[in-house]
Amino acid sequence: MTVSESPLTIAVGDVGVSASYARPEQPFATLVLAHGAGAGMEHPFMRGFTDALNDEGVATLRFNFPYREAGRKFPDRPPVAIAAWRAAMDEAARQGAEHGESGPIWAAGKSFGGRMASMAVAEGMDTAGLVYLGYPLHPPGKPEKIRDEHLYGLTLPMLFLQGSRDTFATPELLEGVVSRIGTSAVVEWIEGGDHSFAIAGRKRSAEDIGASLAPTVADFMRARS
């Protein structure tokens, strides 16, 4: 099934950022997706993931952070990234309302994008749940610099999809964080996957890798929608 995308521009303060909205017939939920620090919303991983989610009955909205839109390499500071997240979620709600839908809206992000989503929720952003595609729990090789403090006050459904070889999240540390969060959080390991979910010895395009994650995410959302 091919679902057409609608290009959008979302206002974040006094700047506009690119976004793309796709809606299958009668979606059971909407997922808003933010990119990681090193690639924008048009990366094949992002497109493959949202295309496959559309096939699973999920409407999607991908968007760029302001730094990416401006062609800068260094990610936005949290206040700007959180403002972008709020604007994207508001736009997803508007798109749903225009189509007569009021279903749940989820927030998801690759690495940096997911961490910024969780920080936005910690500061009051409303969402049905959070999906992390490779949560950057700590910098590679620096497990002592753990980024987990804001997670423990969150009680909404959270899915951590993580490669078992991801250098941004030592498995034992992430398992401990998820356990401390409580029953609302679940971690699903992609055996052999790195931070981009590539698996040594398996040649797959970034688009196919992104698409391979969609069924697990859709099942998690469907069970909690």
Side-chain angles (χ1 to χ4, degrees), residues 133-158:
L133 306 178
Y135 186 83
L137 185 61
H138 55 75
K142 298 181 179 180
E144 71 279 4
K145 295 187 175 181
I146 193 168
R147 303 155 172 159
D148 63 339
E149 296 87 350
H150 67 285
L151 296 173
Y152 300 118
L154 307 183
T155 58
L156 73 173
M158 285 185 280

Side-chain angles (χ1 to χ4, degrees), residues 161-172:
L161 265 182
Q162 206 84 22
S164 64
R165 295 190 303 110
D166 189 344
T167 57
F168 284 81
T170 304
E172 294 81 4

Side-chain angles (χ1 to χ4, degrees), residues 181-195:
I181 292 171
T183 56
S184 61
V186 174
V187 60
E188 291 282 351
W189 293 101
I190 306 300
E191 186 59 38
D194 61 15
H195 193 55

Side-chain angles (χ1 to χ4, degrees), residues 17-38:
V17 298
S18 299
S20 184
Y21 180 72
R23 181 183 185 82
E25 289 188 18
Q26 298 181 328
F28 72 86
T30 297
L31 181 138
V32 181
L33 178 66
H35 58 79

Side-chain angles (χ1 to χ4, degrees), residues 20-180:
S20 184
Y21 180 72
R23 181 183 185 82
E25 289 188 18
Q26 298 181 328
F28 72 86
T30 297
L31 181 138
V32 181
L33 178 66
H35 58 79
M41 59 173 257
E42 291 299 334
H43 191 276
F45 175 94
M46 302 282 286
R47 295 185 64 93
F49 178 68
T50 53
D51 285 351
L53 273 182
N54 297 155
D55 290 344
E56 294 278 352
V58 179
T60 57
L61 188 149
R62 291 179 284 118
F63 70 96
N64 274 341
F65 287 112
Y67 81 94
R68 187 73 189 184
E69 195 72 19
R72 299 191 300 269
K73 292 185 178 180
F74 194 78
D76 297 311
R77 301 294 296 171
V80 175
I82 289 170
W85 255 113
R86 289 182 179 275
M89 293 294 284
D90 288 346
E91 181 61 31
R94 280 193 291 271
Q95 292 293 328
E98 286 184 6
H99 291 85
E101 293 282 350
S102 58
I105 302 176
W106 288 64
K110 179 72 181 78
S111 193
F112 168 80
R115 187 164 73 95
M116 291 301 105
S118 66
M119 292 178 71
V121 172
E123 292 193 7
M125 186 180 80
D126 187 35
T127 183
L130 286 162
V131 175
Y132 307 108
L133 306 178
Y135 186 83
L137 185 61
H138 55 75
K142 298 181 179 180
E144 71 279 4
K145 295 187 175 181
I146 193 168
R147 303 155 172 159
D148 63 339
E149 296 87 350
H150 67 285
L151 296 173
Y152 300 118
L154 307 183
T155 58
L156 73 173
M158 285 185 280
L159 172 62
F160 291 80
L161 265 182
Q162 206 84 22
S164 64
R165 295 190 303 110
D166 189 344
T167 57
F168 284 81
T170 304
E172 294 81 4
L173 284 178
L174 184 59
E175 289 280 6
V177 168
V178 171
S179 176
R180 288 190 292 276

